[in-house]
Amino acid sequence: MKYYSTNRNTSDVSLKEAVVKGLAADNGLFMPEQIKKFEPAFFAEIQHLSFQEIAFEVATKFFGEDIAEAKLKEIVYDTLQFDCPVVEVTESIYSLELFHGPTLAFKDVGARFMARLLNYFLGKQEKLVNVLVATSGDTGSAVANGFLGVDGIHVYVLYPKGKVSNIQESQFTTLGQNITALEVEGTFDDCQHLVKTAFLDEELNKQLVLTSANSINVARFLPQAFYYFNAYARLKEKGKLDNKELVISVPSGNFGNLTAGLIAAEMGLPVKQFIAANNENDVVFEYLKTGEYKPRPSVETIANAMDVGAPSNFARILDLYKKEHSVIAGKIKGYRYSDKEIRTIISQVYSESDYLCDPHGACGYQSLTDYLTENEVGVFLETAHPAKFTETVENVIGKGKVILPEKLAAFMKGKKKSEQMSGNYDDFKTFLLAQSF
Ligand SMILES: *Cc1c(COP(=O)(O)O)cnc(C)c1O
């Protein structure tokens, strides 16, 4: 399958090129030239398939032309070594728990898939492939853990010294093997600058194979469709969709997750309505209301993975629906919540339904409460485990109430190992060249 750029100012590329390059030459985002549909019969029987089986069917629609069946199956099954279950919160609202992977957030799915796909495409290269990733916390941990132990690839995680939480830091500084953590003197933007400069440095790129692993990569973005199909299958299995239609709410930042859901719907998944749940960073909410898209600097909130002022995947949403505002506003309903509201929601859901939401999932839950009518069932994406935001959550429900999952506790016990790095590009370049093999 070919992939085109949303800016439509450069030629189409192969899957391999889209995955290795990440961003199109004209700075657009790659989109598959064709979105293949499932037959209605597939959905009539989908409840009999396991999550992995469903994911393999979906992956075949995307990647079946480019990867041999047995290999694709291996990549999908190896990626999904954990479940994405649907858990009842109220009679009509369910949580799609995406936090059962190694770093307890949904980004594990895309990062693990991308690592395996990159290994398949580049694994036989003689030269080591170097993945550079700048992180403000969560992306670094998902990418580092996704690529951990994958042959032929070395990952450098750049993070701002003293500006990520201890839990986050432990998830990429304690791994060793093919993961190197670089503790940068500066801010996230400084880390991002070092990475971007490296990609543009011709001399460096002659000596080292460099690639990125950010969320605009199609290999991270498309696999997120897997769990939307699973949500439908598991609700059908429970008999919850017998006379009801499905509404799905997605806590959104860069809108990659929601866009993957929209693509699932284009493939035939019966979803009546999507909801984009936001915090105070509400540029898409405003767009849905007014038709005007006005990106602006983000503001800090307690749902910080959604603190995005210019969502990168918005370009994909515009492309999918030919920039028609009325169509987009029909497909997606917007809701937004202040920090104060998010705290109240976490507290209410905890006391009324005995379910603990993280600050992002809380926005998803509330939007369903605000939207749902009688003949609908709602699912919100619980994008991270509440223990990743222990401080915020315990401020609401009380100290000592959030139990640290074994997986997170294990990271905390590991020994931190990181390289100190100035924010100066020449120092970074010298370091990278000294690492070459
Ligand atoms: C990344 C992230 C989001 C936002 O996802 P997008 O695909 O960028 O919209 C939401 N919640 C959590 C916990 C995240 O880590």
Side-chain angles (χ1 to χ4, degrees):
M1 172 120 48
K2 290 284 188 200
Y3 288 79
Y4 64 86
S5 163
T6 51
N7 284 350
R8 302 191 188 247
N9 225 341
T10 181
S11 38
D12 295 354
V13 301
S14 66
L15 173 63
K16 176 177 170 178
E17 202 175 333
V19 174
V20 174
K21 294 237 168 93
L23 198 65
D26 61 0
N27 271 330
L29 275 65
F30 287 117
M31 286 287 275
E33 69 171 359
Q34 198 194 350
I35 297 173
K36 295 184 183 173
K37 275 197 188 300
F38 283 102
E39 297 294 327
F42 175 71
F43 297 104
E45 300 294 330
I46 193 170
Q47 70 276 18
H48 303 304
L49 301 179
S50 70
F51 178 32
Q52 289 177 328
E53 287 167 337
I54 292 168
F56 175 61
E57 294 298 327
V58 177
T60 302
K61 295 274 186 218
F62 292 137
F63 310 121
E65 292 171 22
D66 298 286
I67 306 168
E69 189 179 328
K71 186 69 204 175
L72 184 57
K73 192 165 196 170
E74 185 189 313
I75 292 173
V76 170
Y77 278 57
D78 199 38
T79 296
L80 302 177
Q81 291 292 314
F82 50 89
D83 199 11
C84 296
V86 173
V87 174
E88 182 171 330
V89 180
T90 72
E91 211 179 305
S92 57
I93 298 181
Y94 291 77
S95 168
L96 174 59
E97 293 186 346
L98 303 178
F99 57 66
H100 296 278
T103 73
L104 289 85
F106 80 87
K107 291 185 178 72
D108 283 328
V109 173
R112 287 172 65 83
F113 189 92
M114 180 181 165
R116 282 149 188 80
L117 198 63
L118 203 57
N119 169 259
Y120 167 70
F121 281 137
L122 301 176
K124 283 177 233 60
Q125 276 201 196
E126 275 168 26
K127 274 180 122 178
L128 192 74
V129 175
N130 300 283
V131 172
L132 306 182
V133 57
T135 186
S136 54
D138 265 5
T139 300
S141 52
V143 169
N145 284 273
F147 283 76
L148 181 65
V150 176
D151 269 352
I153 299 176
H154 198 101
V155 176
Y156 295 91
V157 179
L158 290 82
Y159 70 102
K161 186 185 178 84
K163 294 194 174 64
V164 305
S165 75
N166 289 340
I167 288 183
Q168 288 174 326
E169 188 176 25
S170 72
Q171 289 177 302
F172 48 78
T173 57
T174 60
L175 300 170
Q177 298 186 55
N178 59 331
I179 312 298
T180 301
L182 301 176
E183 194 169 3
V184 177
E185 215 52 73
T187 62
F188 168 68
D189 291 333
D190 296 321
C191 298
Q192 184 96 327
H193 177 72
L194 291 178
V195 168
K196 284 192 171 158
T197 311
F199 287 131
L200 297 172
D201 183 333
E202 277 181 35
E203 190 193 65
L204 186 65
N205 283 274
K206 268 190 204 135
Q207 301 195 45
L208 300 178
V209 184
L210 299 180
T211 189
S212 76
N214 59 20
S215 63
I216 53 167
N217 198 297
V218 287
R220 273 192 63 190
F221 149 68
L222 289 173
Q224 295 175 157
F226 298 163
Y227 40 72
Y228 286 89
F229 287 85
N230 192 51
Y232 179 85
R234 302 290 74 92
L235 283 174
K236 191 150 193 251
E237 190 176 39
K238 291 177 204 271
K240 301 294 174 189
L241 294 173
D242 287 352
N243 294 307
K244 298 203 168 172
E245 290 188 287
L246 179 58
V247 177
I248 299 184
S249 176
V250 187
S252 294
N254 268 317
F255 281 76
N257 223 357
L258 177 64
T259 309
L262 297 170
I263 288 193
E266 293 300 304
M267 295 167 83
L269 183 70
V271 179
K272 184 184 180 200
Q273 183 66 55
F274 283 94
I275 295 176
N278 282 124
N279 56 29
E280 284 171 4
N281 295 282
D282 58 0
V283 297
V284 174
F285 173 87
E286 289 295 336
Y287 165 81
L288 293 171
K289 256 193 352 197
T290 64
E292 277 182 72
Y293 180 61
K294 294 188 194 150
R296 57 166 197 268
S298 63
V299 296
E300 260 182 58
T301 77
I302 58 169
N304 57 17
M306 307 197 302
D307 295 350
V308 179
S312 46
N313 283 286
F314 188 65
R316 284 192 165 118
I317 295 178
L318 287 177
D319 184 84
L320 202 54
Y321 302 115
K322 305 189 169 51
K323 302 195 170 132
E324 286 180 48
H325 173 257
S326 61
V327 178
I328 297 171
K331 299 269 179 192
I332 309 168
K333 293 287 171 243
Y335 284 87
R336 72 172 162 204
Y337 301 99
S338 66
D339 278 1
K340 187 161 172 264
E341 288 168 316
I342 294 172
R343 290 196 183 91
T344 307
I345 301 159
I346 293 174
S347 164
Q348 262 178 9
V349 182
Y350 187 62
S351 61
E352 287 167 14
S353 307
D354 200 21
Y355 189 84
L356 189 55
C357 289
D358 91 292
H360 309 80
C363 299
Y365 171 89
Q366 189 60 36
S367 67
L368 290 172
T369 307
D370 293 343
Y371 176 86
L372 285 184
T373 58
E374 216 156 86
N375 296 317
E376 295 165 344
V377 166
V379 171
F380 66 96
L381 274 52
E382 182 45 306
T383 47
H385 192 287
K388 293 194 92 169
F389 306 91
T390 298
E391 217 183 291
T392 303
V393 174
E394 288 195 339
N395 275 339
V396 175
I397 63 163
K399 283 263 168 288
K401 292 233 174 119
V402 178
I403 299 152
L404 201 63
E406 186 46 45
K407 270 183 244 172
L408 276 188
F411 282 120
M412 298 294 274
K413 280 188 219 130
K415 195 167 154 22
K416 170 178 159 179
K417 203 168 165 288
S418 65
E419 305 281 343
Q420 300 298 311
M421 189 60 51
S422 75
N424 182 310
Y425 177 67
D426 288 333
D427 292 344
F428 179 49
K429 180 172 177 177
T430 307
F431 173 83
L432 283 179
L433 287 170
Q435 307 293 308
S436 54
F437 302 82

